[in-house]
Each structure stands twice: as C-alpha cells, then as structure tokens.
Amino acid sequence: VVRMGAHETFFLCGARMQALTNWANFHLKAHGTTINDLETDLGDGLALISLLEILSGKTMFKHKDPKSMLYQLDNLNIVLKYIRKCGIPLNKALDKVTPEDIIDGNLIIIL
C-alpha cells in the first residue's frame, strides 16, 4: 500500500482526468464534439452517447437538446443501460454509478 498526500492524490486525479479527456476527444472529433471539463460536460449525456455511438457503430436514441433534468437523466440512463447490456466489465464502484452522480460531476465515481 502506497500512502499519498493530498497533493499527490490531486495530481494523479488530474492526470487521470486529462488522459480520459484526451482519449474521449480523440474519438469525439468524429462527431464534432469535445469535452473540456469532466465535471460539467458529461451531465447531459450527449457526449457519452456520442462516444458510445462512435465506439459501437450504432445509432442510439437521445434527447438532442436536454435542457430539463428529466431529459438529462434519460440520456444518462440510456448510456448506463447500454454499457451494462453490452456486458462491459465494470468495477464495483462504477457498477453502482447513477445518472445523478454524473450530473453532479462526482469525479470520484466518474474516474
């Protein structure tokens, strides 16, 4: 077990965030979409649905202008159900992620 201080933990979280953002943006450029901030840019589900569409080659239903919380939750439920349906292995923390966690920008769960 390696114990880290708050500074090292923040750095690793920041490095992980940047790596995930770069990876997603590499793929999302095909849809003309980018992610700048994982805390806020995933909340409506559109970037995540676009990423799943690109990676799977399938078109998914989505609310294209999800201004209401109901549409945002629905988009994120579509993402989570698709991931689970495909049998993508999730760790225990990610298996319990909810749309609300993503909307709230809960980076501990998102990362």
Side-chain angles (χ1 to χ4, degrees):
V1 175
V2 177
R3 298 192 190 278
M4 295 183 285
H7 177 71
E8 290 86 1
T9 302
F10 178 77
F11 174 76
L12 288 177
C13 187
R16 185 183 233 180
M17 285 173 50
Q18 191 59 52
L20 182 56
T21 302
N22 290 343
W23 177 83
N25 284 335
F26 174 79
H27 294 287
L28 287 172
K29 68 182 174 186
H31 276 203
T33 304
T34 59
I35 296 171
N36 295 311
D37 184 345
L38 291 175
E39 276 185 284
T40 59
D41 293 350
L42 303 178
D44 63 8
L46 291 176
L48 291 171
I49 289 174
S50 290
L51 192 56
L52 286 177
E53 288 177 334
I54 292 164
L55 296 174
S56 71
K58 296 182 179 183
T59 301
M60 302 173 71
F61 170 81
K62 62 186 161 279
H63 299 284
K64 294 180 182 178
D65 191 20
K67 290 186 177 160
S68 79
M69 177 74 76
L70 181 64
Y71 289 156
Q72 293 169 9
L73 290 169
D74 195 34
N75 279 350
L76 291 167
N77 271 313
I78 290 166
V79 168
L80 294 173
K81 283 180 186 176
Y82 184 80
I83 289 171
R84 290 178 178 121
K85 182 182 115 186
C86 289
I88 297 171
L90 303 173
N91 64 35
K92 290 189 185 238
L94 193 55
D95 192 41
K96 296 177 183 175
V97 70
T98 66
E100 291 84 357
D101 292 324
I102 299 170
I103 288 172
D104 292 343
N106 186 341
L107 289 178
I108 299 300
I109 299 274
I110 293 170
L111 296 177

